[in-house]
Amino acid sequence: MIWKLLAAMVVGTVVFAWLARGWWRQRRAADQLERAHKAFASARERLEAEFLSAAAERGKPRGLRWVRCDLDGPPFFAIDRTSGDIFALVAVIIGFEAVAGGGMEDVEAVGNLRNGSAVFRWQRGRWTTDGWAIFNLAPPDAIAHYTQNLVPVTNRSTGGSTA
């Protein structure tokens, strides 16, 4: 009889620890997301400049030089299903000019502004970017397009959902 009581106590303790661990992880993730939301607003101007610089260094699209990049609207947040990383996607208006000798000098459409989504990643308590742009997709559409990899997060800046 005493063994059954001890076994029940051990099982109860394990179940409690498992539930507490899950609650603690959710709470920690919510705190991290809250910090990321607040930090994005205060770093937006820096991020816009970093995005333009990083995107220009990538050399894509080939034969074009990035000359303009304007973040337009609120960030839409998502979490990577595998890594748990937090991403922010912001609508962006991009302008290019042809690079001399790059084969695009005679294309009239080079000067047209393009829409897309600028991608930012929350790493080590700071927003970063590698200049990755998702062309022709607004942030909610880009998140929906990558739904196998990204989980949309409620957009606190607009009160709505990203998807």
Side-chain angles (χ1 to χ4, degrees):
M1 178 75 166
I2 192 113
W3 292 108
K4 288 182 182 179
L5 182 59
L6 286 174
M9 288 175 55
V10 168
V11 169
T13 302
V14 169
V15 168
F16 176 77
W18 182 74
L19 291 173
R21 180 176 175 249
W23 175 84
W24 177 251
R25 290 175 104 189
Q26 283 182 332
R27 181 69 189 144
R28 198 167 137 215
D31 289 346
Q32 183 80 340
L33 191 56
E34 185 66 32
R35 281 194 302 276
H37 277 268
K38 289 178 182 177
F40 194 91
S42 63
R44 188 177 177 113
E45 192 172 308
R46 171 187 63 83
L47 290 169
E48 187 168 352
E50 285 181 16
F51 180 83
L52 178 58
S53 176
E57 288 177 17
R58 290 176 64 109
K60 295 180 181 179
R62 191 175 28 217
L64 299 177
R65 179 179 302 116
W66 290 64
V67 294
R68 177 181 173 187
C69 170
D70 301 315
L71 298 184
D72 184 34
F76 289 80
F77 297 93
I79 296 176
D80 184 283
R81 290 180 188 276
T82 305
S83 68
D85 289 347
I86 300 170
F87 286 89
L89 282 75
V90 182
V92 66
I93 301 169
I94 302 166
F96 297 106
E97 67 181 15
V99 174
M104 298 291 285
E105 299 94 344
D106 297 330
V107 178
E108 282 186 42
V110 166
N112 294 350
L113 296 177
R114 290 167 177 78
N115 294 314
S117 296
V119 179
F120 302 92
R121 174 181 274 169
W122 179 252
Q123 290 183 305
R124 297 182 194 102
R126 180 176 191 271
W127 284 105
T128 63
T129 184
D130 64 357
W132 182 35
I134 303 170
F135 289 98
N136 303 317
L137 290 176
D141 300 327
I143 292 170
H145 181 76
Y146 290 101
T147 193
Q148 289 183 315
N149 303 83
L150 298 175
V151 176
V153 176
T154 300
N155 189 344
R156 296 167 190 230
S157 61
T158 62
S161 174
T162 61

